[in-house]
Amino acid sequence: MRKLAKYIKPYILTVSICFIILFVEAMCELNLPNLMSNIVNVGIQNSGIENSAPEAISKNGFQLMTGFMNQSEKDLVNANYISVKTGGLSVDYDEYLSKYPILATDDIYVLKQNKDTSIKKLNSCFDNASMTMILALKQISDKNVTADEASKDISKINFDNLYKIIPVLESISDSQINDLRNDAKSIDDSIVTQSATMLTKQFYKEVGIDLFSIQSKYIFRIGLYMIIMTFLSAGAAITVSFFASRIAAGVAKTLRRDVFKKVESFSNSEFDKFSTASLITRTTNDVTQIQTVLVFAVRMICYAPIMAIGATIMAAGKSTSMSWIIFLGAIVLICLISVIYAIAMPKFKLVQKLVDKINLIIRENLSGMMVIRAFGTQKFEENRFEKANDDLTKVNLFVNRVTVFMMPAMMFIMNSVNLLVVWNGAHQIAESNMQVGDMMAFMQYAIQVIMSFLMISIMFILIPRASVSAERVDEVLETEPIIKDKSNPIKLNDEHSGTIEFKNVSFKYSNDAEYVLKDINFISKPGETTAFIGSTGSGKSTLVNLIPRFYDVTDGEILIDGVDIRDISQHDLRENIGYVPQKGILFSGDIKSNLRYGDKDATDEDIRKAADIAQATDFIESTEGGFDNSISQGGTNVSGGQKQRLSIARALVRKAKVYIFDDSFSALDFKTDAMLRKALKEYTTNSTVLIVAQRVSTIMGADQIIVLDKGHMVGKGTHEELLKTCETYKEIATSQLSKEELS
């Protein structure tokens, strides 16, 4: 995968934007459990009271609370509260009376509406005072039932009874108060705050504040925040998915283009290394695997670590003592992922090879369907496909069974973690070391950590397969064609004639020890026809394939107008060659588009003339659409002879200096063959023509005939000369023609 990292570079900015958006999404997701905790702890348990410093408190309550504060805290509180007297003449008196009905009978203290002093400092003062008072009540509980009741459940405090024991509380010495304050500081902050706000709740009831209104407003406000964050998180997820899809599609598009361009530059030697089925699989299936993993990777690889780390930190903030549960779950998950990765990785490599094999069988069956039917081997081919299909299915099933096991294992781990959280959390709640909302939030954070590891595990499933695909694609991209252009190739000028010369040419395939061609020497001039004949496997097609540089010579050199063809660019060389392969290949489209393939700028007149010479005009015009008649994929809707004639016409449209016909007349009847060769002779008076043939009748009129036998030249001359001097040619000729036809 690292080798293909360069394809991500154009999208670095987009990936960075995705990372920022994912960070925003993660922050929203991480805050939702915290807000839920606030709803439970503050909104439900504390009736929506956020601050332990009350906005209004009775005179007795104020006296009670300040009695448990040190001097600096008393000064801070006195500076931030104003005394409102019953029946006072204040401008705001009526407003205070409507909000705090107790003002009709008792004096109250109201928090000043200024922002000079942080509310957190006031909260701290009342937190410490509240917990100190509770500890003091516990200390004297054996002397007063009401105080004992208050110490057990703050919500049941009877302030009338509590105010009666103020003298008892005031009798506690300063040293004892300081000890109690120190004890209060050792208690968990969340418990202290909860106790203080619950006490504030009782103060609000005393002064007549509408607690239901406070609770409703708080829950509505926090709920609105949660809705906003949910929509923000969803929007971020959709945006990232959109960008991830564009990045993955863009990378896949570029990869397919580069693989296709690389394959187009391959010589026949590279095609011998990679099977056609494998190249198709690498261009389609393998690139799709990379695209799929990129879609998930952009989101999960960035998002999962942020969530895992963030959720762990947030969970630790809720309860450090239960953090071991998350770490235990994470360790078990890592072990599980490692085992599955080790088992599945080798199988992923095998899957792609089996896909290649099944594609090869399908391609062979589709292209050779007529042969299969002719020999009645459908059952054999079905069995061959069935075996390949079974092999692929077995490996896929094995991989799927291993990976499918991960989901129930993950759910088991997640539920086990939840069970441990509830078990430990319940004990801590019972011991007043944790609040219910905090336990619920911790559980949610634990789930987020597990889900983050689940995302990572999914990537560990996808990445190995994509890595195999990436290696296969990279193998194609990194393959350097054996045939390359020189850095400063020689340019053929417009006046070159097209003379072809073979000088001591020998050739062998890269993996073979034996030469296919050995010491080939001849010259073919413009206006002349050079023919090649010999037994099957003698090297005729290989010889003519050296001229367009489908292969490069092993020894010797091939010259065109005295210039070594290796010194000419492949494009420039092939622009001057009209080539007709042994197997006629047509492309989907129509007849005109196939003929214009030889020269995209060819006129309709050029196309018709080429068709006339190739003896193709009659059958073209007999079709319904004429030159616009459609050609199906591979030219399956035309006969072998028609396909050859169209291939010849396509080469003639090029108006090349050199024409190569590789056994291109084999499907023609003798009459059409003769007419075509006669028209071709007249058309190519200024071109060099090379013909590979099996039929002697096709090449009898050639200016020179080269006879090949097992890669060696065993004869060169005209038909008449070879009958006298070359025994191999004579054997071929007499086996095909009578004595009268030979003369």
Side-chain angles (χ1 to χ4, degrees):
M1 291 290 283
R2 291 193 301 269
K3 294 179 181 178
L4 300 180
K6 62 182 180 181
Y7 288 92
I8 303 291
K9 286 183 179 179
Y11 304 97
I12 289 295
L13 178 60
T14 310
V15 172
S16 301
I17 293 171
C18 287
F19 182 81
I20 295 170
I21 296 172
L22 285 171
F23 190 82
V24 172
E25 181 187 357
M27 291 301 101
C28 292
E29 292 290 336
L30 290 170
N31 274 295
L32 286 174
N34 205 34
L35 291 172
M36 178 200 67
S37 174
N38 289 340
I39 286 180
V40 174
N41 292 340
V42 179
I44 297 174
Q45 290 186 322
N46 296 336
S47 300
I49 299 171
E50 298 179 74
N51 299 308
S52 50
E55 65 175 77
I57 186 171
S58 67
K59 180 180 179 181
N60 289 330
F62 189 81
Q63 181 183 354
L64 176 68
M65 296 306 296
T66 54
F68 292 97
M69 297 180 186
N70 58 33
Q71 190 58 48
S72 61
E73 289 175 339
K74 288 179 182 179
D75 293 340
L76 180 64
V77 170
N78 287 325
N80 284 276
Y81 279 86
I82 58 172
S83 175
V84 181
K85 304 289 185 180
T86 300
L89 300 176
S90 169
V91 177
D92 300 322
Y93 180 79
D94 292 337
E95 182 182 348
Y96 287 143
L97 183 62
S98 64
K99 288 177 66 177
Y100 317 119
I102 195 178
L103 187 58
T105 57
D106 291 313
D107 297 344
I108 63 171
Y109 282 84
V110 179
L111 182 65
K112 292 180 180 179
Q113 300 298 318
N114 63 70
K115 304 298 181 182
D116 294 338
T117 304
S118 171
I119 191 67
K120 290 183 179 180
K121 292 182 179 180
L122 288 172
N123 285 340
S124 178
C125 295
F126 279 92
D127 285 346
N128 295 332
S130 297
M131 187 52 64
T132 304
M133 184 194 74
I134 292 169
L135 294 176
L137 289 172
K138 285 184 177 181
Q139 196 175 66
I140 64 170
S141 61
D142 58 334
K143 300 177 183 178
N144 190 293
V145 175
T146 306
D148 181 49
E149 183 183 27
S151 67
K152 290 180 180 178
D153 191 347
I154 297 174
S155 64
K156 295 179 181 178
I157 287 178
N158 185 313
F159 279 100
D160 290 335
N161 292 333
L162 185 61
Y163 294 151
K164 289 177 183 178
I165 64 169
I166 288 179
V168 177
L169 295 172
E170 289 177 345
S171 67
I172 300 174
S173 65
D174 291 341
S175 61
Q176 288 179 307
I177 292 291
N178 289 331
D179 290 340
L180 292 173
R181 286 176 62 83
N182 291 330
D183 292 340
K185 291 178 181 179
S186 65
I187 299 174
D188 186 83
D189 289 342
S190 63
I191 300 300
V192 173
T193 301
Q194 184 185 23
S195 299
T197 50
M198 288 180 68
L199 189 60
T200 301
K201 178 180 176 181
Q202 301 307 310
F203 285 132
Y204 281 172
K205 284 182 179 179
E206 183 187 17
V207 298
I209 291 177
D210 185 359
L211 291 175
F212 179 77
S213 175
I214 294 175
Q215 185 178 46
S216 300
K217 288 178 180 178
Y218 180 84
I219 293 176
F220 178 80
R221 176 163 57 85
I222 300 301
L224 183 62
Y225 288 160
M226 292 182 74
I227 292 172
I228 292 171
M229 286 194 176
T230 301
F231 276 106
L232 188 60
S233 175
I238 293 169
T239 304
V240 170
S241 297
F242 171 77
F243 283 129
S245 298
R246 289 186 66 88
I247 292 168
V251 170
K253 176 186 174 183
T254 308
L255 270 176
R256 280 192 294 267
R257 181 199 65 198
D258 288 357
V259 170
F260 186 77
K261 286 176 68 176
K262 175 64 74 170
V263 170
E264 279 196 316
S265 72
F266 282 173
S267 66
N268 288 9
S269 298
E270 282 75 49
F271 283 112
D272 293 339
K273 177 183 176 183
F274 298 102
S275 69
T276 304
S278 178
L279 287 172
I280 292 171
T281 305
R282 293 170 197 244
T283 310
T284 53
N285 184 275
D286 285 321
V287 172
T288 301
Q289 291 291 339
I290 296 169
Q291 181 177 352
T292 302
V293 82
L294 279 176
V295 172
F296 287 97
V298 171
R299 177 169 176 76
M300 291 186 181
I301 289 179
C302 298
Y303 184 70
I306 296 173
M307 285 297 294
I309 296 169
T312 302
I313 294 171
M314 297 290 277
K318 292 296 179 184
S319 176
T320 308
S321 60
M322 289 202 301
S323 298
W324 65 270
I325 299 174
I326 292 178
F327 288 113
L328 177 63
I331 291 169
V332 174
L333 280 171
I334 291 169
C335 293
L336 176 67
I337 292 169
S338 300
V339 171
I340 291 176
Y341 183 84
I343 295 172
M345 182 62 179
K347 297 297 181 182
F348 283 130
K349 293 182 179 180
L350 185 57
V351 165
Q352 296 306 104
K353 291 180 180 178
L354 291 173
V355 171
D356 281 351
K357 186 176 180 181
I358 208 167
N359 281 344
L360 176 63
I361 293 172
I362 292 171
R363 189 173 183 276
E364 286 179 344
N365 272 262
L366 292 175
S367 59
M369 188 59 69
M370 293 181 68
V371 176
I372 293 168
R373 289 174 179 171
F375 284 90
T377 56
Q378 291 96 326
K379 193 65 180 175
F380 171 79
E381 293 298 332
E382 286 175 11
N383 292 336
R384 192 161 73 106
F385 177 82
E386 191 67 25
K387 184 180 183 307
N389 196 23
D390 284 345
D391 291 342
L392 179 60
T393 303
K394 287 176 183 176
V395 175
N396 272 323
L397 283 174
F398 177 83
V399 171
N400 289 336
R401 287 190 187 108
V402 172
T403 52
V404 164
F405 171 76
M406 183 175 287
M407 183 58 72
M410 285 281 187
M411 296 306 296
F412 176 78
I413 294 169
M414 185 166 66
N415 290 326
S416 299
V417 167
N418 283 340
L419 187 62
L420 285 172
V421 170
V422 172
W423 178 265
N424 283 269
H427 282 81
Q428 293 203 33
I429 290 170
E431 295 169 3
S432 297
N433 292 327
M434 192 179 198
Q435 297 187 68
V436 175
D438 290 340
M439 187 195 73
M440 294 174 65
F442 190 95
M443 191 182 302
Q444 289 295 315
Y445 287 128
I447 291 172
Q448 287 178 343
V449 172
I450 301 298
M451 293 304 295
S452 298
F453 276 95
L454 178 60
M455 291 181 191
I456 294 170
S457 69
I458 292 172
M459 292 310 302
F460 272 98
I461 294 170
L462 294 175
I463 287 176
R465 189 165 185 177
S467 296
V468 173
S469 295
E471 287 175 8
R472 286 160 52 84
V473 171
D474 186 65
E475 189 179 0
V476 176
L477 294 174
E478 292 298 315
T479 299
E480 288 298 326
I482 295 175
I483 299 175
K484 295 181 180 179
D485 292 335
K486 291 191 174 180
S487 55
N488 295 305
I490 297 173
K491 179 75 174 176
L492 290 174
N493 56 50
D494 296 333
E495 297 179 358
H496 78 94
S497 61
T499 300
I500 300 293
E501 181 179 0
F502 276 59
K503 293 179 67 175
N504 304 317
V505 170
S506 296
F507 173 77
K508 64 179 177 180
Y509 293 105
S510 56
N511 296 325
D512 292 345
E514 296 184 4
Y515 281 91
V516 179
L517 296 170
K518 188 68 175 176
D519 294 326
I520 306 297
N521 290 276
F522 70 87
I523 297 176
S524 185
K525 298 178 180 179
E528 294 183 354
T529 299
T530 300
F532 303 90
I533 196 168
S535 59
T536 302
S538 59
K540 305 183 296 296
S541 294
T542 302
L543 186 148
V544 294
N545 282 336
L546 294 174
I547 299 171
R549 292 190 72 192
F550 296 152
Y551 296 100
D552 263 347
V553 299
T554 305
D555 301 308
E557 56 185 353
I558 301 173
L559 308 176
I560 180 167
D561 295 331
V563 179
D564 193 324
I565 60 173
R566 289 170 294 190
D567 295 331
I568 305 169
S569 70
Q570 295 174 66
H571 180 269
D572 195 18
L573 174 66
R574 292 165 188 168
E575 279 286 303
N576 290 277
I577 297 174
Y579 177 74
V580 184
Q582 194 171 31
K583 182 182 179 182
I585 302 294
L586 297 179
F587 301 96
S588 56
D590 53 39
I591 292 175
K592 186 181 292 183
S593 67
N594 269 276
L595 298 187
R596 192 166 272 131
Y597 207 81
D599 181 3
K600 63 180 181 180
D601 298 321
T603 63
D604 290 345
E605 184 180 347
D606 294 333
I607 291 172
R608 176 170 286 277
K609 184 176 181 181
D612 288 341
I613 296 168
Q615 309 303 304
T617 306
D618 289 344
F619 89 80
I620 291 173
E621 292 183 341
S622 66
T623 60
E624 184 177 346
F627 281 88
D628 295 319
N629 189 57
S630 63
I631 296 293
S632 61
Q633 184 179 355
T636 55
N637 61 335
V638 294
S639 68
Q642 291 171 341
K643 193 183 294 186
Q644 277 195 342
R645 280 179 278 173
L646 290 174
S647 297
I648 293 168
R650 178 175 60 199
L652 296 175
V653 167
R654 172 151 283 189
K655 299 178 181 177
K657 297 289 185 180
V658 178
Y659 288 99
I660 299 173
F661 300 94
D662 186 3
D663 201 12
S664 308
F665 309 99
S666 58
L668 306 180
D669 59 82
F670 286 101
K671 180 181 177 182
T672 304
D673 185 1
M675 293 172 63
L676 194 154
R677 281 188 286 109
K678 180 182 178 182
L680 189 64
K681 184 72 175 176
E682 295 174 358
Y683 183 75
T684 60
T685 53
N686 296 318
S687 301
T688 302
V689 179
L690 299 100
I691 299 175
V692 173
Q694 296 285 357
R695 294 195 310 218
V696 173
S697 59
T698 301
I699 61 172
M700 287 174 61
D703 297 289
Q704 68 173 337
I705 301 171
I706 294 172
V707 185
L708 297 175
D709 184 28
K710 296 180 181 179
H712 294 269
M713 277 181 59
V714 295
K716 180 171 71 171
T718 62
H719 171 69
E720 291 77 11
E721 292 171 348
L722 290 173
L723 285 175
K724 298 175 183 178
T725 61
C726 183
E727 191 63 30
T728 302
Y729 182 79
K730 185 177 181 181
E731 288 177 4
I732 296 171
T734 55
S735 68
Q736 295 181 14
L737 303 172
S738 64
K739 290 183 179 180
E740 292 77 12
E741 290 173 321
L742 288 172
S743 58

